[in-house]
Amino acid sequence: MRDYLVAAIVLSSLPLGLVRPYYGVLIYAWVSYMYPHLLAWSFVRDWPVGKIAGASALVGGVINHDGDFQPLRQRESLLMIVFMGCFTLSTLFAI
């Protein structure tokens, strides 16, 4: 019974992440911090619930074009993106 409840809550929240990506990120955070699928006993315990919730939020963010990209064009944001790119590049070429 607990499996069906956890599965119903998780699966019913996924379309919300597609429509409103902010709520998808909140669902992902809830799943990541609380691990509700580990409270179940059978089939939901083996589901990659965090990956499913994160994918829902990412797809919702790509589909939804209501966001404002003005903060990304600021000097500090661009420097942070370049900084993260430097970390990624140095990680790829590390021995």
Side-chain angles (χ1 to χ4, degrees):
M1 185 68 184
R2 193 180 297 182
D3 290 315
Y4 296 120
L5 179 66
V6 172
I9 290 171
V10 170
L11 291 178
S12 65
S13 65
L14 294 180
L16 186 64
L18 292 174
V19 176
R20 305 267 184 187
Y22 175 74
Y23 292 119
V25 171
L26 289 178
I27 293 164
Y28 173 71
W30 171 68
V31 166
S32 297
Y33 292 138
M34 265 186 84
Y35 296 110
H37 58 285
L38 294 183
L39 297 174
W41 289 320
S42 74
F43 67 94
V44 179
R45 192 172 181 92
D46 298 328
W47 282 6
V49 179
K51 290 179 184 178
I52 294 170
S56 170
L58 286 174
V59 170
V62 170
I63 292 172
N64 193 357
H65 293 291
D66 293 340
D68 181 24
F69 294 109
Q70 188 63 27
L72 289 178
R73 294 188 184 114
Q74 293 179 357
R75 178 186 59 192
E76 292 83 6
S77 298
L78 289 175
L79 286 175
M80 187 61 80
I81 292 170
V82 169
F83 193 51
M84 290 176 67
C86 179
F87 282 160
T88 304
L89 191 64
S90 66
T91 302
L92 290 176
F93 291 110
I95 296 175

